[in-house]
Amino acid sequence: MNAATNSSGQSSAPNVKITINPIGMDRPRAWLAAGFEDFRRATAVSLAYGMFWVGLSIAVTAGAIVLDLWHWLLPLVAGFMFIGPLVAVGSYGISRALEEGRVPHLGDAFGAWRPHAGQLAMMGVMMMIFFLAWIRLATLLFALFFGFEAPGVAELYASLLTTPEGLGLIAVGTAAGAVLAFGAFSISVVAIPTLMDQDLTFMEGIEASVRTVARNFKPMLLWAVILTGSVLIGMMTFYIGLALILPVLGHASWHAYEDLVRCEPVEKLES
């Protein structure tokens, strides 16, 4: 694939050839090891970035409780899988600073999106579409199994685990959510770090991401399971564990991008 192009079809940046590298099943473990190493080298800034998202998650949960929207908590928590790739952008900035030999600071995390804000924003729109589709689907499934009247919090969560309707909702919701989540993963897993690192359009980033998953399906499926399982563990600790898990996974995802995608200027290839 060549060329970053604008809406008129004319070249708007140095043309780039993207090559997808084949990998083995052992690479996700290597990415995690590299992620832990980046966290160790930049513990303070990585932990501060993780704590920011923990605080935001707690605030959203508290808001749902105060507004008596208990029945929205599970869909919102599950929906984090759709915005998680965007959360990782700050960790990419920290990892890149380390690779450049600089001491990372919070500006590297919170300002990592600025050079390519427009294309990253378009990816944000794409991920929001998945998130809203999940919320709509969760609402429809809830109405299908429980009707339109939300029970009280005690009755709701007891019903989920002890009644055929609740168990059916969990089974169908998990299956449907997994399909949506893997779709979101497939279009974003390398698209977002590629867009942060290169002058490309968001559609070119999505294309590279889908090609990456298609060429390395089994390792990428394993990586998706690792990401999902790790985030779920963090949420089971009342979000506190996410302060460590989110930055480590973000750092690891940056190394995954560097392992999977090779970007070369066309001018260099032709010379």
Side-chain angles (χ1 to χ4, degrees):
M1 178 182 63
N2 294 337
T5 59
N6 57 27
S7 58
S8 66
Q10 295 176 340
S11 177
S12 60
N15 291 342
V16 173
K17 176 180 173 61
I18 296 180
T19 302
I20 307 302
N21 299 320
I23 60 167
M25 293 293 290
D26 60 322
R27 296 312 298 162
R29 184 173 63 178
W31 301 336
L32 282 176
F36 274 108
E37 177 61 18
D38 281 3
F39 185 87
R40 185 193 66 78
R41 294 174 60 194
T43 302
V45 65
S46 292
L47 193 59
Y49 185 70
M51 286 300 296
F52 170 81
W53 291 105
V54 168
L56 187 59
S57 299
I58 292 174
V60 170
T61 300
I65 294 172
V66 169
L67 296 173
D68 198 27
L69 297 174
W70 288 90
H71 55 290
W72 283 104
L73 281 179
L74 284 179
L76 287 173
V77 168
F80 185 84
M81 302 299 175
F82 300 104
I83 63 173
L86 293 170
V87 171
V89 169
S91 297
Y92 302 159
I94 296 171
S95 290
R96 186 164 63 178
L98 290 172
E99 291 177 350
E100 293 172 352
R102 298 187 289 107
V103 176
H105 51 79
L106 284 176
D108 292 309
F110 289 104
W113 55 272
R114 289 177 181 169
H116 304 102
Q119 297 306 317
L120 286 172
M122 292 302 298
M123 277 303 303
V125 171
M126 296 295 296
M127 303 309 290
M128 187 58 65
I129 290 172
F130 275 93
F131 177 75
L132 293 176
W134 161 245
I135 293 297
R136 181 60 175 168
L137 178 61
T139 302
L140 292 174
L141 289 176
F142 185 89
L144 178 64
F145 284 92
F146 283 99
F148 292 98
E149 291 295 328
V153 59
E155 294 83 358
L156 173 61
Y157 289 105
S159 297
L160 284 174
L161 299 175
T162 60
T163 67
E165 292 82 5
L167 294 174
L169 175 60
I170 290 175
V172 175
T174 299
V179 172
L180 275 177
F182 190 73
F185 169 83
S186 297
I187 70 167
S188 66
V189 60
V190 299
I192 294 176
T194 301
L195 292 176
M196 199 192 89
D197 195 40
Q198 302 290 328
D199 290 320
L200 297 170
T201 67
F202 78 100
M203 288 303 298
E204 289 172 319
I206 289 174
E207 181 188 355
S209 195
V210 171
R211 288 169 54 205
T212 297
V213 173
R215 184 166 190 182
N216 299 285
F217 185 78
K218 289 183 179 179
M220 298 310 292
L221 181 60
L222 174 61
W223 185 232
V225 170
I226 291 172
L227 294 175
T228 302
S230 299
V231 171
L232 288 177
I233 290 172
M235 290 181 172
M236 291 171 62
T237 65
F238 299 99
Y239 305 123
I240 301 302
L242 292 177
L244 168 66
I245 290 171
L246 288 181
V248 168
L249 292 181
H251 298 318
S253 296
W254 175 257
H255 292 285
Y257 153 69
E258 293 187 318
D259 204 11
L260 288 161
V261 178
R262 185 170 73 252
C263 299
E264 299 174 280
V266 170
E267 291 83 358
K268 176 182 177 181
L269 296 173
E270 293 175 348
S271 61

